[in-house]
Amino acid sequence: MEKEARPKVAVVVFLLKDKKVLLGRRHSSVGRDTFALPGGHLEFGESFAECAAREVKEETGLHIQNIEFLTATSNVVSDALHIVAIMMRAVLADPDQIPQNLEPEKCEGWDWYDWNDLPRPLFGPLEAMASGGFDPFSRLF
Ligand code: 8DG
Ligand code: MG
Ligand code: MG
């Protein structure tokens, strides 16, 4: 590993609709073929909520609201990649919006999945949260 390597910051969004969350199967080399949430890297000067709204818009075309911080995780994804993931939640600004696959080189496509019946394999850090009992619908945090 490069001596000066440092963790990167990502903002990831549990987009909630009824008892479902939005997931897409990744084409990216990190976590290829696993189901993951929309999200990406925090840009200089952005708030977590601004980054959440921007990444969801860029990746799915969806406009979100009620953006809230849930928790943060530290994920050593590989020898070369350590990500601090800021986990947010949000809902659709207009519940009739349909997700579009705006970055098809990075994602197979977006769909809604019941939190109690998630598709597998999940992206590693998300699997760890789900199997650890994390509930993005909880009001207690
Ligand atoms: P960008 O260039 O648009 O900023 O980045 P991206 O291409 O959209 O980044 P990403 O890989 O989708 O997300 C950035 C990092 O976030 C990724 O390397 C690993 C971390 N991450 C987690 N959990 C999740 C998750 O559930 N979904 C996504 N998309 N990323 C996650 O730790
Ligand atoms: Mg992105
Ligand atoms: Mg992304």
Side-chain angles (χ1 to χ4, degrees), residues 58-77:
E58 286 175 359
E59 297 184 354
T60 71
L62 297 170
H63 179 208
I64 61 174
Q65 65 182 21
N66 298 1
I67 306 168
E68 298 177 316
F69 173 82
L70 288 179
T71 190
T73 59
S74 176
N75 307 325
V76 180
V77 179

Side-chain angles (χ1 to χ4, degrees), residues 21-72:
V21 297
L22 191 74
L23 297 173
R25 200 189 271 266
R26 289 172 69 84
H27 286 326
S28 316
S29 57
V30 176
R32 180 169 294 161
D33 292 336
T34 63
F35 289 89
L37 302 161
H41 298 97
L42 186 68
E43 291 184 358
F44 195 92
E46 268 185 331
S47 70
F48 295 156
E50 286 167 347
C51 182
R54 178 184 54 76
E55 283 288 341
V56 170
K57 189 85 184 161
E58 286 175 359
E59 297 184 354
T60 71
L62 297 170
H63 179 208
I64 61 174
Q65 65 182 21
N66 298 1
I67 306 168
E68 298 177 316
F69 173 82
L70 288 179
T71 190

Side-chain angles (χ1 to χ4, degrees), residues 15-21 91 95 112-115 137:
L15 185 49
L16 308 182
K17 184 181 179 177
D18 306 321
K19 284 304 282 181
K20 296 175 192 290
V21 297
V91 295
W112 301 99
Y113 296 92
D114 196 300
W115 183 250
F137 295 86

